[in-house]
């Protein structure tokens, strides 16, 4: 830049224009550091813009300030040769606005006609001077920001020889209004500042060569060419003013990878319709290639081409961190900035401290696949159909085990290699819900297109979305573990895991959740034992669980069989009808046997196991064996009750052996099915386990033609089976030592209950041949025993002085080492609990005819229907109260549920001891409660609080001999029979001891507790009983 052919000294220029008025103080202008003095008279700039009497520019401050008052358009002539403006010329000055006008401008022009765009708007009340060719620096003054330093690269907009320096303060409404000052005017040459941006710590210097953007192929249709961006001297900031759609070209293309992050500070001084920053391959903005980040908007409908980031507010400086690599990747030539203003001179903003870097996000997501850890790249992408808010980033925890979501997100991570999902594949994970939004879900997909959410599972929601809703849903603040049999929903290769936190509300920053500990596994195969021709081999059954009885719609799909890791057991939880396909199927012949162990933990309506040719489960061809249940389904044709023992014992393993040919036979039995029927509202109840499942083609018995013998102190089923196992081990003709299968062949029976029945018959035969008939003790007919135990006969009614019962003492001595049989009377026909007792209300030995027995119990009530032959009525009841019956003495005994237990084999001895020797002969107790038997099975007796207890201790040896001709011969050597008080002298406590020894079941103990209810519990027992009758008790 230079003043043509004139030495740059202080030059006085005299103007002789007729319209000029001499200015007393020259205006000083610094040009490349040398001061020019402009003291010629001012001339009118732009014809007819000055009104009559318009003021001139008032120069003050030793020539450094030019003050404008009211409406004026004035120009100072430059030296005759003018000033040459080149592309690097810069104009710098200070502008102070004291009173607004329509607008204020500064101009450097070739003439005074103002026809070319040579002026720069410094302030504008209307925002739009009438001449659209004026330029708008990014800085401008307002009443709130009334002192502004301007630095205008005028050479960027025009070049040439300039003759006039002009000042404009336009105010058509009131020509006297408007006051502003321009001071310290300098012109100099300066290379444009470079915009500094760092990429991975290295500086990129972007030249200040500003070009406009194309929008939808219309060249510059949005950009205002009169505006320009200003780069600060340090290169760290770029300022935008007015409507601007401009780009800077990188020295060489920059590369954005999936890991690239863009950071910058954004100061929104005066808001426009919208502000944005963009990376472009060229200067063409299209809807198909969205490259702009929208930072603010007051008219979003105009910005459908832009991607959204978090809005900034006017007057705010906001720091942005944008994972730009998640939006797009590639090579980019231009950095662009948009300030979209419908009032083209309005809007002011600054971008500062721009940096790009590849974010080391730490470890990628880690999952477990079939026991092996798999690390997934930390690079994430979007999932679904334009649902994702890309600015919301999926956060992976430091240990890689958790994926944390905040705000609306549809994020995916790509697996390093596909996971093949088959019918037995399961996935499990933990889910934490911090803040619930529309829906939260996890997806396992082979592509990134949300296909009606068929591969997604909803963990929490407020609206409907996926076909697969997990139950129960997770509540806010809760962490829940989910295990999904994913292979029952879909199969095939899985390439992506996607995390969905959908929020379609106005504030898409809402929503917080975390998925962690993701594990893929395959359900273990169920291992069956198959024995044919005495050779056992394992058979692995693929764990694809098919719906059984699907024709009846019985199955709960979400409940699955849990196969143990060793494949030996299958646990059922909740309602389910499931089948596994047996490879190759089974052929069931005459000697085909199914054996297994069954553990019942929580009883429901029906528990069963099935062998079937198909999945139909019909009554035409029943294939299922019920094992336990609360529902009486014995009349239902689709279940086989014959030969299968019903289990009621909780947490006790029961062995089952079933000869299948007794029920069905044939070829191609393809399915092993399990039933756990629960039709209640809570389909999750019911727990049972099947283990050691074997299919065996049994051969002939290996012991049937052998001679053997063994002995023990009790001939129980357990002891008998153990002896058979030992015999099989020692016998060369036996394969293995599965005693149950051997005994099935040995006795030629079809099931375990039949085996147990045969063993029981063998064991009791040793006692029966020497049993003492109970009726022989009294020396009376059986009718005497019937009446005696009901509280009748002279032994109960008459005083001891009138009736002699010394025979009891004689019998006690005579049969002290003999087994006494139970009386064949109604009182003891069905003692299912294995307990009996006597309850007395009188004492026949006292001198007082109305004497009472020793009081040790309280009577609650008597249900006549439970002892109809004793009460002589079909139904009815007596309520005794809580001790109001007077003195009551109850005394009982109990025995184990195996006929070979000593207390079972000698229960007749215990009855004689309790009912006749102790109670009647020694203590004189007699007579019954009204309407009740005097002695009987506990379940036929009145409900009372407690009973004292006697137990039997037997010293014996039971010898079992077998030969192929005479078969079994059992001898019992009884050495002593001793009766003692039970521990605590309490029947309920003694029964608890039998339970601990495994001699009675928990179900039986629970039933006993409803008969012996405990001290003070009569009111509750009566209340429960009457409620069953439809009455209340208080």
């Amino acid at each position: 830049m230079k003043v043509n052919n004139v030495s740059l000294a202080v030059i006085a220029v005299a103007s002789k224009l007729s319209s000029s008025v001499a200015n007393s103080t020259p205006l000083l202008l610094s040009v490349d550091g040398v001061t020019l003095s402009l003291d010629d008279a001012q001339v009118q700039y732009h014809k007819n813009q000055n009104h009559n009497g318009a003021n001139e520019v008032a120069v003050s401050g030793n020539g450094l300030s030019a003050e404008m008052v009211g409406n004026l358009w004035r120009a100072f002539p430059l030296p005759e040769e003018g000033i040459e403006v080149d592309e690097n010329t810069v104009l710098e000055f200070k502008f102070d606005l004291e009173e607004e006008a329509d607008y204020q401008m500064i101009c450097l022009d070739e003439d005074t006609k103002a026809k070319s765009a040579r002026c720069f708007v410094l302030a504008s009340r209307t925002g739009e001077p009438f001449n659209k060719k004026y330029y708008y620096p990014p800085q401008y003054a307002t009443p709130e920001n009334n002192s502004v330093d301007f630095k205008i690269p005028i050479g960027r907009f025009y070049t040439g020889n300039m003759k006039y320096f002009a000042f404009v303060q336009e105010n058509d409404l009131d020509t006297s209004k408007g006051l502003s000052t321009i001071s310290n005017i300098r012109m100099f040459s300066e290379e444009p500042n470079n915009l500094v941006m760092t990429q991975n710590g290295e500086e990129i210097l972007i030249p200040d060569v500003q070009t406009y953007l194309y929008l939808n192929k219309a060249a510059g249709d949005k950009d205002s060419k009169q505006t320009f961006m200003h780069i600060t001297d340090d290169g760290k900031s770029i300022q935008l003013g007015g409507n601007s759609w401009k780009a800077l070209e990188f020295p060489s293309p920059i590369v954005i990878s999936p890991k690239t992050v863009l950071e910058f500070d954004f100061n929104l001084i005066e808001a426009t319709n919208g502000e944005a920053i963009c990376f472009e391959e060229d200067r063409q903005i299209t809807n198909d290639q969205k490259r702009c980040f929208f930072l603010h908007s007051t008219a979003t409908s105009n910005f459908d081409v832009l991607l959204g980031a978090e809005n900034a507010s006017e007057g705010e400086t906001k720091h942005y961190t944008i994972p730009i690599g998640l939006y797009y990747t590639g090579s980019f030539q231009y950095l662009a900035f948009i300030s979209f203003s419908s009032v083209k001179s309005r809007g002011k903003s600054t971008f500062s401290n721009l940096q790009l870097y590849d974010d080391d996000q730490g470890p990628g997501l880690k999952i477990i696949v079939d026991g092996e850890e798999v690390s997934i790249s930390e690079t994430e992408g979007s999932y679904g159909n334009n649902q994702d808010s890309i600015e919301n980033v999926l956060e992976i925890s430091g240990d890689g085990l958790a994926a944390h979501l905040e705000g609306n997100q549809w994020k995916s991570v790509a697996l390093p290699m596909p996971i093949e999902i088959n019918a037995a594949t399961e996935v499990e994970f933990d889910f934490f819900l911090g803040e619930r939004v529309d829906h939260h879900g996890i997806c396992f997909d082979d592509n990134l297109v949300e296909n009606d959410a068929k591969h997604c599972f909803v963990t929490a929601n407020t609206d409907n979305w996926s076909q697969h809703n997990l139950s129960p849903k997770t509540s806010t603040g809760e962490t829940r573990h989910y295990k999904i049999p994913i292979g029952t929903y879909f199969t095939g290769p899985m390439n992506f895991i996607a995390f969905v936190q959908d929020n379609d509300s106005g504030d898409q920053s809402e929503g917080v959740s975390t998925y962690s500990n993701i594990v893929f596994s395959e359900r273990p195969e169920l291992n069956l034992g198959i024995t044919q021709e005495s050779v056992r081999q394992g058979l692995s059954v693929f764990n694809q669980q098919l719906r059984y009885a699907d024709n009846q719609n019985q199955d709960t799909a979400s409940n699955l069989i849990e196969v143990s890791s060793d494949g030996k057991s299958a646990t059922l939880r909740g309602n389910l009808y499931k089948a596994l396909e047996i490879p190759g199927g089974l052929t069931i012949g005459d000697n085909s046997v199914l054996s297994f162990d069954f553990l019942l933990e929580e009883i429901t309506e029906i528990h069963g196991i099935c062998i079937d040719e198909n999945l139909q489960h019909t009554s035409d061809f029943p294939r299922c064996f019920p094992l336990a249940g609360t529902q009486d389904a014995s009349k239902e044709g689709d279940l086989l009750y014959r030969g299968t023992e019903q289990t009621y014992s909780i947490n006790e393993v029961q062995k089952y052996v079933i000869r299948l040919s007794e029920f069905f036979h044939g070829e191609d039995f393809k399915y092993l099915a399990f039933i756990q029927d629960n039709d209640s509202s809570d389909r999750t109840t019911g727990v049972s386990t099947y283990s050691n499942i074997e299919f065996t083609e049994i051969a002939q018995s290996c012991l049937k033609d052998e001679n053997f013998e063994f002995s023990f102190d009790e001939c129980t089923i357990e002891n008998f089976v153990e002896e058979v196992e030992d015999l099989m081990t020692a016998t060369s003709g036996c394969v293995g030592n599965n005693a149950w299968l051997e005994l099935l062949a040995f006795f030629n029976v079809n099931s375990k209950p039949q085996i147990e029945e045969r063993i029981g018959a063998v064991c009791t035969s040793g006692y029966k041949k020497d049993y003492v008939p109970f009726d022989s003790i009294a020396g009376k007919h059986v009718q005497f025993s019937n009446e005696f135990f009901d509280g009748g006969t002279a032994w109960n009614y008459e005083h001891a002085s009138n009736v002699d019962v010394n025979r009891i003492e004689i019998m006690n001595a005579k049969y002290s080492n003999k087994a006494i049989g139970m009386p064949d009377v109604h009182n003891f026909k069905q003692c299912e609990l294995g307990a009996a007792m006597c309850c007395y209300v009188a004492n026949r030995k006292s001198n007082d005819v109305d004497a009472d027995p020793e009081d040790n119990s309280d009577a609650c009530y008597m249900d006549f229907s439970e002892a109809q032959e004793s009460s002589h009525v079909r139904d009815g009841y007596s309520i005794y109260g809580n001790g109001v019956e007077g003195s009551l003495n109850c005394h009982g005994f109990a025995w184990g549920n195996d006929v070979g237990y000593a207390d079972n084999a000698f229960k007749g001895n215990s009855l004689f001891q309790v009912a006749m020797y102790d109670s009647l002969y020694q203590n004189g107790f007699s007579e019954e409660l009204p309407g009740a038997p005097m002695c009987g099975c506990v379940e036929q007796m009145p409900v009372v609080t407690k009973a004292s207890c006697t137990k039997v201790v037997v010293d014996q040896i039971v010898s079992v001999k077998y030969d192929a001709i005479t078969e079994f011969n059992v001898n019992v050597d009884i050495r002593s029979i001793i009766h003692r008080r039970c521990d605590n002298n309490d029947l309920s406590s003694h029964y608890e001891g039998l339970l601990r020894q495994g001699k009675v079941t928990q179900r039986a103990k629970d039933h006993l507790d409803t008969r012996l209810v405990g001290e003070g519990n009569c009111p509750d027992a009566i209340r429960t009983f009457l409620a069953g009758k439809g009455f209340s008790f208080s």
Side-chain angles (χ1 to χ4, degrees):
M1 180 195 73
K2 62 181 180 179
V3 180
N4 293 330
N5 301 319
V6 178
S7 174
L8 291 178
V10 177
I11 301 173
V13 181
S15 175
K16 298 181 180 180
L17 297 175
S18 61
S19 61
S20 65
V21 178
N23 190 20
S24 60
T25 303
L27 176 66
L28 300 182
L29 170 67
S30 175
V31 181
D32 285 336
V34 178
T35 302
L36 291 182
S37 177
L38 307 183
D39 54 2
D40 266 357
Q42 301 173 28
V43 296
Q44 178 171 277
Y45 184 63
H46 199 297
K47 184 180 179 181
N48 298 325
Q49 287 296 323
N50 283 310
H51 64 281
N52 291 331
N55 295 320
E56 291 190 340
V57 175
V59 179
S60 62
N62 297 322
L64 298 178
S65 297
E67 183 182 74
M68 295 182 285
V69 178
N71 180 76
L72 61 82
W73 289 67
R74 299 293 184 187
F76 286 83
L78 292 171
E80 184 176 353
E81 292 77 8
I83 296 176
E84 194 71 28
V85 174
D86 61 31
E87 61 184 12
N88 292 326
T89 299
V90 175
L91 173 63
E92 185 178 80
F93 55 89
K94 180 179 181 182
F95 176 70
D96 291 290
L97 177 65
E98 296 184 48
E99 185 178 46
E100 280 189 303
D102 290 343
Y103 51 87
Q104 287 89 0
M105 297 191 297
I106 191 169
C107 315
L108 197 61
D109 209 338
E110 296 98 331
D111 54 37
T112 60
K113 297 178 181 180
K115 291 185 177 180
S116 301
R118 298 292 184 262
C119 295
F120 297 89
V121 179
L122 310 180
S124 174
R125 179 172 58 196
T126 62
E128 288 283 352
F130 69 90
N131 191 330
K132 302 301 190 299
K133 294 182 179 180
Y134 299 145
Y135 298 112
Y136 304 96
Q139 316 97 323
Y140 56 87
T142 65
E144 294 78 19
N145 184 29
N146 56 14
S147 182
V148 179
D149 292 321
F150 282 88
K151 186 176 182 179
I152 303 174
I154 60 175
R156 177 174 298 166
F157 300 94
Y158 54 86
T159 59
N161 186 254
M162 302 298 125
K163 300 292 188 179
Y164 294 92
F165 207 103
F167 300 87
V168 174
Q169 182 165 273
E170 168 74 6
N171 196 346
D172 289 336
L173 295 178
D174 186 346
T175 58
S176 67
K177 298 295 183 182
L179 177 59
S180 60
T181 303
I182 297 174
S183 57
N184 301 323
I185 303 170
R186 297 176 60 229
M187 293 179 66
F188 52 90
S189 292
E190 182 180 78
E191 292 291 330
N193 294 324
N194 294 318
L195 179 63
V196 178
M197 184 179 75
T198 64
Q199 185 169 26
N200 293 323
E202 298 292 329
E203 284 191 350
I204 299 175
L205 302 180
I206 307 172
D208 187 7
V209 179
Q210 301 180 22
T211 57
Y212 51 76
L213 296 173
Y214 294 86
L215 179 63
N216 297 325
K217 298 184 179 180
D221 61 348
K222 292 293 184 182
D223 185 52
S224 295
K225 310 305 180 296
Q226 299 93 336
T227 63
F228 62 94
M229 303 182 294
H230 172 67
I231 299 174
T232 58
D233 291 341
D234 61 8
K236 293 182 178 179
S237 300
I238 186 165
Q239 300 169 338
L240 281 70
N243 182 69
S244 180
W245 294 61
K246 294 197 167 50
L248 301 176
E249 186 173 5
F250 290 111
S252 59
I254 61 106
V255 175
I256 294 176
S257 75
K259 298 180 181 180
T260 302
V261 175
L262 169 66
E263 276 198 50
F264 59 90
D265 296 313
F266 177 67
N267 176 220
L268 183 59
I269 301 166
E270 182 181 43
T272 64
N273 297 102
E275 290 81 11
I277 184 171
C278 321
F279 289 81
E280 296 287 345
E281 297 94 333
D282 50 32
R283 291 184 290 134
Q284 177 68 50
I285 298 178
T286 67
N287 291 337
D288 296 334
Q289 294 180 322
K290 297 183 178 181
R291 298 289 185 258
C292 297
F293 294 94
F294 163 47
L295 310 178
H296 169 266
S297 172
T298 58
T300 56
S301 62
N302 293 328
F303 288 87
D304 57 345
V305 68
L306 302 179
L307 294 172
E310 188 177 354
N311 268 7
S313 300
E314 191 171 77
E316 177 186 26
T317 297
K318 194 174 187 66
H319 182 78
Y320 283 89
T321 301
I322 301 175
I324 187 171
L326 299 184
Y327 292 84
Y328 49 81
T329 58
S331 178
F332 298 90
Q333 189 66 56
Y334 294 93
L335 173 63
F337 300 91
I338 294 175
S339 175
F340 180 27
S341 176
S342 56
V343 180
K344 297 203 162 92
S345 65
R346 288 302 186 206
K348 185 185 293 187
S349 58
T350 302
F351 293 82
S352 306
N353 306 316
L354 291 114
Q355 54 179 320
L356 290 171
Y357 57 90
D358 289 338
D359 185 20
D360 181 8
Q361 299 177 355
L365 181 65
K366 295 178 181 178
I367 64 175
I368 303 297
V369 180
D370 293 331
E372 299 292 329
E373 182 177 276
V374 175
S375 293
I376 303 174
S377 169
E378 66 272 22
T379 302
E380 62 184 68
S382 293
Y383 177 71
N385 303 314
N386 300 319
Q387 293 278 5
D388 187 35
S389 296
I390 303 180
E391 66 272 19
N392 296 333
V393 179
L394 182 70
E395 299 176 14
I396 306 300
S397 63
D399 59 9
L401 299 179
H404 181 71
L405 293 82
E406 293 190 12
N408 179 72
Q409 293 195 49
W410 290 63
K411 292 293 189 297
S412 67
V413 292
L415 297 169
M417 57 187 304
I419 295 175
E420 190 68 30
I421 296 176
N422 62 39
T425 302
E426 294 183 325
V427 63
E428 56 187 302
F429 56 88
D430 296 316
F431 174 69
F432 166 74
L433 180 61
E435 183 180 25
R436 188 174 66 171
V437 288
D438 295 347
H439 49 258
H440 305 257
I442 186 169
C443 310
F444 309 95
D445 216 329
D446 59 351
N447 60 68
L448 294 176
V449 179
E450 178 208 2
N451 188 12
D452 298 327
K454 291 179 181 178
H455 294 103
C456 299
F457 299 88
V458 177
T459 52
N461 65 318
T462 60
D463 64 6
N464 293 323
W465 172 48
S466 171
Q467 298 176 3
H468 312 311
N469 285 284
L470 299 180
S471 180
K473 297 286 177 33
T474 301
S475 302
T476 301
E478 179 183 27
T479 297
R480 186 175 291 279
H481 182 78
Y482 289 100
K483 188 172 185 178
I484 306 171
I486 186 172
T488 64
Y489 297 94
F490 49 83
T491 59
M494 180 190 72
N495 300 310
F496 302 95
I497 300 177
F499 303 94
V500 173
Q501 184 164 273
D502 185 69
N503 178 2
D504 294 330
S505 69
D507 185 359
Q508 294 198 335
S509 67
E510 295 178 347
V512 177
S513 62
T514 303
Y515 296 82
S516 58
N517 305 317
I518 301 172
V519 177
F520 288 88
S521 60
E522 186 171 313
R523 290 191 298 276
E525 295 179 330
L526 181 63
N527 293 327
L528 307 179
I530 305 292
T531 301
Q532 293 177 325
E533 297 181 356
S534 301
V535 177
R536 184 190 184 279
Q537 59 184 5
L539 179 64
S540 296
V541 178
F542 180 59
N543 199 338
Q544 179 180 7
Q545 301 189 23
L546 306 170
R547 297 186 71 175
Y548 186 59
D550 200 30
N551 56 309
Q552 300 177 20
N553 195 29
Q554 291 280 8
D555 184 46
T556 299
S558 58
N559 295 337
L560 293 179
I561 301 167
E562 300 172 12
V563 177
S564 62
S565 58
D566 61 6
K568 292 182 179 181
S569 64
T571 298
L572 286 62
R573 300 182 190 278
N575 179 76
L576 57 78
Y577 279 65
K578 290 291 192 303
L580 303 176
E581 186 171 358
I582 303 170
L586 295 174
T587 297
I588 297 177
D590 292 340
N591 296 315
S592 299
V593 175
L594 168 66
S595 62
F596 56 90
D597 295 326
F598 177 68
L599 173 66
L600 180 63
E601 296 182 60
E602 184 178 31
I603 194 167
T604 184
E605 294 170 13
I606 300 174
H607 303 260
I609 189 170
C610 317
I611 315 296
D612 211 331
E613 303 98 322
N614 54 55
L615 299 172
Q616 295 307 304
H617 183 57
T618 65
S619 58
D620 295 336
F621 302 101
R623 298 290 187 259
C624 296
F625 300 95
L627 311 177
T630 59
Q631 177 176 314
D632 182 9
S634 59
K635 295 181 180 179
E636 296 186 13
D638 53 5
L639 299 172
L640 298 165
Y641 274 84
R642 180 165 42 93
T644 55
E645 179 183 11
Q646 296 297 289
T647 296
Y648 298 101
S649 300
I650 302 299
N651 295 323
E652 293 183 9
V653 176
Q654 302 294 323
K655 184 73 176 181
Y656 279 85
V657 181
I658 304 171
R659 190 190 295 264
L660 296 175
S661 59
E662 177 69 12
F663 304 95
F664 46 79
H665 61 274
E667 298 179 351
D668 202 23
F669 281 81
K670 297 168 56 177
Y671 300 101
L672 172 64
F674 300 90
I675 290 176
Q676 189 158 273
D677 185 67
N678 176 2
D679 294 328
S680 70
S681 58
D682 183 5
R683 296 293 186 95
T684 64
T685 59
V687 181
S688 60
T689 299
Y690 300 78
S691 55
N692 303 316
I693 302 172
E694 301 269 344
F695 290 95
T696 305
E697 291 295 321
I698 60 170
Q700 291 184 348
S701 168
C702 63
L703 297 178
K704 189 70 173 178
D705 296 329
E706 300 290 328
N707 297 331
F708 55 83
E709 63 179 283
F710 42 76
S711 61
F712 22 55
D713 57 1
E714 288 184 318
C715 187
T716 63
I717 294 169
E718 180 181 2
N719 291 342
F720 195 99
V721 170
E722 287 178 358
E723 292 292 341
V724 171
E725 288 176 350
D726 292 341
L727 283 171
M728 292 179 69
T729 302
T731 302
S732 60
C734 296
V735 178
N737 64 344
N738 190 327
W740 290 104
L741 293 178
E742 166 59 25
L743 291 171
L744 198 74
F746 185 94
F747 290 123
N748 192 27
V749 293
N750 300 314
S751 64
K752 178 173 173 278
Q754 292 174 339
I755 296 172
E756 292 172 335
E757 183 179 351
R758 290 296 187 91
I759 293 174
V762 170
C763 290
T764 56
S765 66
Y767 299 100
K768 287 183 177 179
K769 60 188 177 183
D770 292 324
Y771 261 154
V772 176
F774 197 94
D775 297 328
S776 65
I777 294 173
K780 307 284 188 180
H781 190 269
V782 66
Q783 186 60 33
F784 179 88
S785 296
N786 265 320
E787 293 182 12
F788 172 77
F789 288 118
D790 278 341
T793 76
W795 283 15
N796 279 305
Y797 296 150
E798 297 292 337
H799 192 267
S801 59
N802 298 326
V803 177
D804 183 15
V805 292
N806 287 331
R807 179 181 175 83
I808 294 174
E809 170 61 27
I810 297 170
M811 294 298 104
N812 182 57
K814 181 178 180 180
Y815 299 131
S816 60
N817 279 357
K818 293 286 187 180
I820 302 174
M822 287 291 285
D824 185 20
V825 296
H826 57 261
N827 306 59
F828 303 103
K829 285 286 180 68
Q830 293 181 327
C831 293
E832 293 181 0
L833 298 184
M837 69 177 179
C838 301
C839 288
Y840 305 100
V841 297
N843 186 341
R844 66 187 295 278
K845 292 186 72 172
S846 172
N847 292 327
D848 184 353
V849 176
D850 296 323
D852 294 327
E854 176 185 352
D855 191 1
N856 71 349
S857 186
D858 292 325
C860 305
Y861 68 87
M862 176 64 199
D863 184 353
F864 297 160
S865 67
E866 292 174 339
Q868 294 176 349
E869 292 183 71
S870 297
S871 60
H872 305 294
V873 295
R874 185 170 60 185
D875 202 356
Y877 54 87
S878 288
I879 303 298
Y880 304 121
N882 191 20
V884 298
E885 78 286 343
S887 296
L888 177 68
N889 186 283
C890 293
H891 191 170
F893 60 98
W895 56 92
N897 54 18
D898 188 315
V899 294
Y901 287 132
D903 51 13
N904 191 315
F906 292 90
K907 58 182 176 286
N909 298 65
S910 298
L911 177 61
F912 168 73
Q913 186 73 22
V914 169
M916 292 188 169
Y917 187 76
D918 284 347
S919 298
L920 178 63
Y921 177 73
Q922 290 192 322
N923 295 311
F925 298 160
S926 60
E927 298 189 42
E928 80 285 5
L929 280 164
M934 183 181 72
C935 300
C937 304
V938 166
E939 51 265 57
Q940 295 175 303
M941 294 294 290
V943 172
V944 298
T945 55
K946 61 180 295 187
S948 58
C949 177
T950 291
K951 66 179 180 179
V952 63
V953 179
V954 180
D955 183 6
Q956 64 173 356
I957 296 294
V958 181
S959 299
V960 178
K961 291 183 180 182
Y962 173 84
D963 64 61
I965 299 174
T966 61
E967 297 198 342
F968 287 101
N969 182 30
V970 179
N971 290 303
V972 182
D973 180 11
I974 302 173
R975 298 171 182 176
S976 67
I977 304 171
I978 302 172
H979 284 89
R980 298 173 179 165
R981 285 191 175 185
C982 304
D983 296 340
N984 301 322
N985 194 25
D986 178 71
L987 181 56
S988 182
S989 298
H990 177 64
Y991 205 86
E992 181 71 34
L994 296 180
L995 176 63
R996 288 193 296 269
Q997 296 171 48
K999 298 174 71 173
V1000 296
T1001 66
Q1002 182 64 56
R1003 182 171 181 265
K1005 178 60 170 68
D1006 293 342
H1007 191 177
L1008 184 84
D1009 289 343
T1010 67
R1011 315 301 300 183
L1012 301 172
V1013 298
E1015 292 287 350
N1017 292 326
C1018 268
D1020 288 341
I1022 296 170
R1023 187 175 297 110
T1024 300
F1025 172 71
L1026 290 177
K1029 301 290 186 180
F1031 300 104
S1032 61
F1033 174 77
S1034 59

